[in-house]
């Protein structure tokens, strides 16, 4: 019954901003590390950011300084604030519950397109 539902994607111009949300249900959200990943057509699914249960965060080098991951445990939701967006940020963005190593649950994804 684990569910992860992403929202907030869309079309934005280079330099613009979006905030993605991932609403989680069916598990004890507050104790899990959560992550955002992205996948462009023909490419691997790559890690974007992680947020641990204690609030610590990690980021891929490509988004560091531009994106911010956060969590609201009262709402069972994680967010990805995306600023200074670039065309190379275009991808489907996925929310993940981390269960250790490569294991976990995925959401359905939300499309982000950065284009003029």
């Amino acid at each position: 019954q684990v569910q992860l539902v992403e929202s907030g994607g869309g079309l934005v111009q280079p330099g613009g901003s979006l905030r993605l949300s991932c609403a989680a249900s069916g598990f004890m959200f507050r104790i899990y590390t959560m992550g955002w990943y992205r996948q462009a057509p023909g490419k691997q699914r790559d890690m974007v950011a992680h947020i641990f249960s204690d609030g610590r965060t990690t980021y891929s080098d490509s988004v560091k300084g531009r994106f911010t991951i956060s969590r609201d445990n009262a709402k069972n939701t994680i967010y990805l604030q995306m600023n200074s967006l670039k065309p190379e940020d275009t991808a489907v963005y996925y929310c993940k519950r981390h269960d250790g190593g490569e294991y976990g649950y995925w959401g359905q994804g939300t499309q982000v397109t950065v284009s003029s």
Side-chain angles (χ1 to χ4, degrees), residues 29-43:
F29 175 82
R30 65 178 177 84
I31 70 171
Y32 280 91
T33 297
M34 304 293 296
W36 286 101
Y37 290 70
R38 66 187 182 186
Q39 187 168 23
K43 292 196 169 186

Side-chain angles (χ1 to χ4, degrees), residues 16-114:
S17 297
L18 286 172
R19 190 176 80 154
L20 307 183
S21 299
C22 171
S25 61
F27 63 97
M28 192 177 297
F29 175 82
R30 65 178 177 84
I31 70 171
Y32 280 91
T33 297
M34 304 293 296
W36 286 101
Y37 290 70
R38 66 187 182 186
Q39 187 168 23
K43 292 196 169 186
Q44 300 293 319
R45 189 172 297 186
D46 293 330
M47 186 273 291
V48 174
H50 292 146
I51 184 162
F52 301 94
S53 60
D54 64 3
R56 289 178 295 159
T57 59
T58 61
Y59 298 91
S60 68
D61 289 340
S62 61
V63 309
K64 196 172 299 180
R66 299 187 298 120
F67 291 9
T68 302
I69 188 171
S70 61
R71 66 192 298 156
D72 186 339
N73 289 338
K75 295 182 178 179
N76 285 2
T77 301
I78 66 166
Y79 304 94
L80 187 68
Q81 179 65 47
M82 309 165 65
N83 298 326
S84 302
L85 283 162
K86 304 174 180 180
E88 51 262 47
D89 296 319
T90 296
V92 178
Y93 283 71
Y94 297 91
C95 179
K96 183 185 181 183
R97 188 189 88 174
H98 287 258
D99 294 351
E102 66 187 60
Y103 302 103
Y105 290 86
W106 296 93
Q108 84 291 344
T110 185
Q111 176 72 48
V112 172
T113 302
V114 184

